[in-house]
């Protein structure tokens, strides 16, 4: 991140929040009932699938905005991965109305503002939309956590998920509850139904 688009106070806050999210322990394995207040997988895609976040500075911008929004909107994260033209996030929503819309609205509005400022492109459309699915079974949740963590490999960016900087795979592997990590890693992701046409 640079001061150019976020400002010094925002930068300090971003690193404080990122430290908190990255360094806290992985949440324990969810209970069998993952419906309350709501567990979701969310995918956001750029306008015309353009590779707007095409380098490390821009990927970090989106990654940091996503993590800040997760923290500020009181979501419990399970997995995330950020790419040049889309992102995936799995987490438990807070018990408030329109939690998904609030989260994606914040991520999209602030990342678009920051990216347009960085690129000196006033009013340019960045985001097309987001898709969300509520997860109501533990196995569905574990399969989607595995999917999100292996997504950088699927897209040919790395050979090991934990080596991709803009993903929670390393956090999950290092801080996750061992039996839960092993259960998630056992899931095959080829047939998981996630919108990922990027």
């Amino acid at each position: 991140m640079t001061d150019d688009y976020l400002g010094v106070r925002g930068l300090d806050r971003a690193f404080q929040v990122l430290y908190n999210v990255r360094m806290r322990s992985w949440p324990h394995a969810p209970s069998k009932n993952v419906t309350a207040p709501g567990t979701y997988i969310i995918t956001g895609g750029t306008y015309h699938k353009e590779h707007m976040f095409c380098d490390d500075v821009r990927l970090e911008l989106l990654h940091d905005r996503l993590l800040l929004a997760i923290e500020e909107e009181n979501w419990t994260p399970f997995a995330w991965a950020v790419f040049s033209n889309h992102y995936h996030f799995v987490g438990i929503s807070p018990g408030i109305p329109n939690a998904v819309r609030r989260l994606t609205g914040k991520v999209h509005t602030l990342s678009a503002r920051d990216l347009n400022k960085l690129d000196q492109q006033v009013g340019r459309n960045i985001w097309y939309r987001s898709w969300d699915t509520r997860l109501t079974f533990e196995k569905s949740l574990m399969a989607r956590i595995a999917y999100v963590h292996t997504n950088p490999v699927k897209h040919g960016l790395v050979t090991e998920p934990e080596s991709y900087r803009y993903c929670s795979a390393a956090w999950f592997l290092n801080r996750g509850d061992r039996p839960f990590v092993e259960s998630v890693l056992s899931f095959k992701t080829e047939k998981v139904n996630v919108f990922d046409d990027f």
Side-chain angles (χ1 to χ4, degrees):
M1 284 175 96
T2 65
D3 293 349
D4 297 336
Y5 66 87
L6 195 54
V8 174
R9 276 185 287 171
L11 182 64
D12 290 342
R13 171 79 175 126
F15 282 118
Q16 178 185 2
V17 170
L18 291 173
Y19 177 81
N20 290 340
V21 171
R22 287 182 183 152
M23 299 313 289
R24 81 168 63 136
S25 294
W26 184 264
H28 294 292
S31 67
K32 301 293 183 199
N33 177 6
V34 295
T35 61
T39 305
Y40 293 88
I41 182 167
I42 301 169
T43 299
T46 59
Y47 193 65
H48 294 302
K49 302 178 186 177
E50 288 186 46
H51 296 272
M52 303 278 196
F53 300 92
C54 57
D55 59 24
D56 284 335
V57 170
R58 287 157 181 79
L59 280 168
E60 191 167 316
L61 181 157
L62 177 56
H63 184 255
D64 294 354
R65 276 298 177 199
L66 175 63
L67 293 185
L68 278 168
I70 290 166
E71 184 77 9
E72 291 172 357
E73 293 297 320
N74 296 311
W75 283 70
T76 300
F78 280 112
W80 65 85
V82 170
F83 305 99
S84 61
N85 66 350
H86 71 290
Y87 66 86
H88 300 293
F89 168 65
V90 178
I92 300 174
S93 69
I96 60 172
N98 301 312
V100 172
R101 188 178 308 163
R102 286 174 53 106
L103 177 69
T104 58
K106 182 173 276 191
V107 171
H108 294 187
T109 299
L110 297 178
S111 64
R113 182 201 66 192
D114 294 345
L115 184 62
N116 282 338
K117 185 174 181 181
L118 182 65
D119 292 343
Q120 299 178 355
Q121 296 281 332
V122 178
R124 173 182 56 173
N125 288 327
I126 302 296
W127 294 103
Y128 171 61
R129 65 169 289 194
S130 63
W131 299 262
D132 63 86
T133 301
R134 189 167 184 175
L135 307 174
T136 57
F137 297 100
E138 184 181 32
K139 287 184 179 181
S140 295
L141 172 62
M142 291 194 294
R144 277 143 187 90
I145 292 170
Y147 181 88
V148 170
H149 286 155
T150 58
N151 214 237
V153 175
K154 175 188 177 229
H155 289 296
L157 299 171
V158 292
T159 56
E160 298 295 327
E162 61 272 20
S163 64
Y164 187 65
R165 282 179 58 189
Y166 309 106
C167 174
S168 56
W171 176 56
F172 175 67
L173 291 172
N174 293 329
R175 299 198 173 267
D177 182 58
R178 208 71 246 149
F180 183 59
V181 169
E182 290 169 7
S183 293
V184 168
L185 294 178
S186 72
F187 276 84
K188 303 295 182 210
T189 60
E190 297 83 25
K191 295 182 181 178
V192 174
N193 186 15
V194 173
F195 184 85
D196 197 7
D197 183 23
F198 296 97

